């Protein structure tokens, strides 16, 4: 196995798990471990990566930071990344079939194969590795992140996601927006929407399969628009989301495309768990095969 550069964030948890995973990797390769605490440090570390595969030890946020920095440096094309899922949600790891146990993930990395991955990019050059969504789901992410931070020191960070979802369900932020997928209007400002999701990965919030058919290797993003705005419809939507058949509802639209535009009333958005806004317009497009990710051999053949 060729030499590796492993990047971890200084605030990330799972130090014991990381140590155990490193023991596995050290048995097969030379590994340089770089701990970063801010974007400047991360940029410096990536500058000296060379041709080595870059293993990200963390969750979706850490993976997003590494890929965003490489993309901003115009240094992402041709890069090979690996993932040791040490985050709270680890949603992109779930999508690509990487074991969520750090030691098992390290064992999988030893024999993993590179697979080209798509990337979602907006008109400002900001990237989305896993998922971006607006409306009720973005509010849920905001509240979930707050509770994750509060409960994380007690090892209960994952509980923050359902708490956030429950809070958002009480008073969801309906918005009137025009949604276009590859130039086709699928929602317009004459109708409130509960949420809009653009998925490169399957799940958000630690396993909630928001765009269940998403495939980060197919060159398209999966788009979900929910019009479930009445109290009864919202309850039904929430139950169907748990049952994983929310995309089949009469008040949902689910399709794929290479470019997605949302414009209308001001909205907040959650991109890979990072909340931003308010926005009035945003357009995303898919950059196919933007980088390669090491995935387990059995996952690579699916």
């Amino acid at each position: 196995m060729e030499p590796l550069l492993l990047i971890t964030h200084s605030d990330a948890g799972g130090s014991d798990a990381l140590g155990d995973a490193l023991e596995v990797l050290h048995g097969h390769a030379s590994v340089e471990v770089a701990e970063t605490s801010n974007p400047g440090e991360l940029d410096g570390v990536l500058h000296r990566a060379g041709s080595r595969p870059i293993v990200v030890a963390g969750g979706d946020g850490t993976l997003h930071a590494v890929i965003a920095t490489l993309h901003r440096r115009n240094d992402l094309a041709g890069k090979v990344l690996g993932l040791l899922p040490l985050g709270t949600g680890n949603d992109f790891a779930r999508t690509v079939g990487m074991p969520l146990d750090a030691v098992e993930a390290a064992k999988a990395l030893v024999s993993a194969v590179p697979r080209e991955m798509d990337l979602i990019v907006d008109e400002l050059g900001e990237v989305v590795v896993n998922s971006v969504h607006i409306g009720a789901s973005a509010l849920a992410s905001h509240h979930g992140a707050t509770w994750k931070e509060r409960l994380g020191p007690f090892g209960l960070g994952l509980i923050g996601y359902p708490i956030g979802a429950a809070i958002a369900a009480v008073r969801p932020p309906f918005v009137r927006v025009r949604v276009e997928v590859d130039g086709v209007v699928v929602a317009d400002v004459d109708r409130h929407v509960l949420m809009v999701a653009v998925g490169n990965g399957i799940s958000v919030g630690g396993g909630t399969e928001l765009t269940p058919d998403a495939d980060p290797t197919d060159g398209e993003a999966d788009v979900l628009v929910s019009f479930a705005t009445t109290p009864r419809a919202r309850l039904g939507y929430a139950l169907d989301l748990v049952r994983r058949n929310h995309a089949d509802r009469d008040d949902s639209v689910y399709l794929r495309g290479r470019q997605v535009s949302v414009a209308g009333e001001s909205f907040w958005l959650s991109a890979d768990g990072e909340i931003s806004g308010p926005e009035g317009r945003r357009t995303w497009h898919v950059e196919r095969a933007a980088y390669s990710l090491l995935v387990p051999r059995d996952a690579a053949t699916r």
Side-chain angles (χ1 to χ4, degrees):
M1 190 176 184
E2 57 187 313
L4 303 173
L5 172 63
L6 185 144
I7 296 177
T8 185
H9 194 277
S10 59
D11 293 335
S15 58
D16 292 340
L18 176 58
D20 294 339
L22 281 172
E23 285 190 22
V24 174
L25 294 178
H26 280 307
H28 298 270
S30 170
V31 183
E32 177 190 353
V33 178
E35 184 179 278
T36 65
S37 60
N38 58 64
E41 288 183 356
L42 177 58
D43 188 70
V45 168
L46 292 173
H47 181 70
R48 65 173 191 265
S51 61
R52 290 177 293 175
I54 301 167
V55 176
V56 180
D60 297 314
T62 308
L63 181 64
H64 172 99
V66 170
I67 291 177
T69 302
L70 288 170
H71 186 269
R72 187 166 53 250
R73 291 167 49 92
N74 294 316
D75 198 24
L76 182 61
K79 277 289 188 288
V80 177
L81 278 67
L83 182 58
L84 277 178
L86 297 178
T88 304
N90 298 315
D91 285 294
F92 202 65
R94 298 170 192 268
T95 291
V96 300
M98 183 60 66
L100 301 186
D101 177 82
V103 172
E104 294 303 315
K107 293 177 180 177
L109 280 175
V110 170
S111 60
V113 295
R115 190 173 186 187
E116 292 181 332
M117 294 284 152
D118 301 333
L119 189 65
I120 297 173
V121 184
D122 70 14
E123 71 270 39
L124 303 177
E126 299 296 329
V127 307
V128 177
V129 177
N130 183 58
S131 178
V132 57
H133 39 101
I134 74 169
S137 55
L139 182 62
S141 294
H142 171 68
H143 290 305
T146 300
W147 281 97
K148 171 187 168 183
E149 184 176 349
R150 292 175 180 173
L151 298 173
F154 305 100
L156 301 173
L158 192 59
I159 299 177
Y161 293 117
I163 292 177
I167 295 174
V170 176
R171 296 186 64 184
F174 306 138
V175 291
R176 293 182 183 270
V177 291
R178 180 182 177 93
V179 182
E180 296 184 23
V181 180
D182 290 343
V184 177
V185 178
V186 297
D188 215 333
V189 294
D190 59 346
R191 190 178 180 187
H192 280 115
V193 300
L194 177 69
M195 61 168 296
V196 180
V198 182
N200 195 38
I202 292 172
S203 67
V204 299
T208 300
E209 296 187 0
L210 191 57
T211 46
D213 297 328
D215 180 351
T217 68
D218 66 1
E220 295 183 308
D222 280 36
V223 183
L224 170 72
V225 182
S226 172
F227 298 98
T229 55
T230 68
R232 182 176 180 179
R234 295 201 309 268
L235 176 59
Y237 179 82
L239 293 174
D240 285 335
L241 185 60
V242 173
R243 293 191 289 247
R244 302 179 182 178
N245 58 7
H246 59 290
D248 299 324
R249 291 175 55 88
D250 292 339
D251 54 10
S252 292
V253 175
Y254 192 97
L255 69 165
R256 293 187 180 91
R258 296 184 178 182
Q259 180 168 302
V260 183
S261 297
V262 178
E265 291 182 342
S266 294
F267 56 85
W268 291 80
L269 60 88
S270 174
D272 291 341
E274 294 294 323
I275 311 299
S276 62
E279 305 287 348
R281 175 184 297 272
R282 190 60 63 91
T283 298
W284 298 272
H285 69 274
V286 176
E287 291 190 0
R288 186 158 196 177
Y291 66 100
S292 293
L293 185 70
L294 294 169
V295 300
R297 287 186 178 274
D298 58 345
T301 59
R302 293 174 190 167

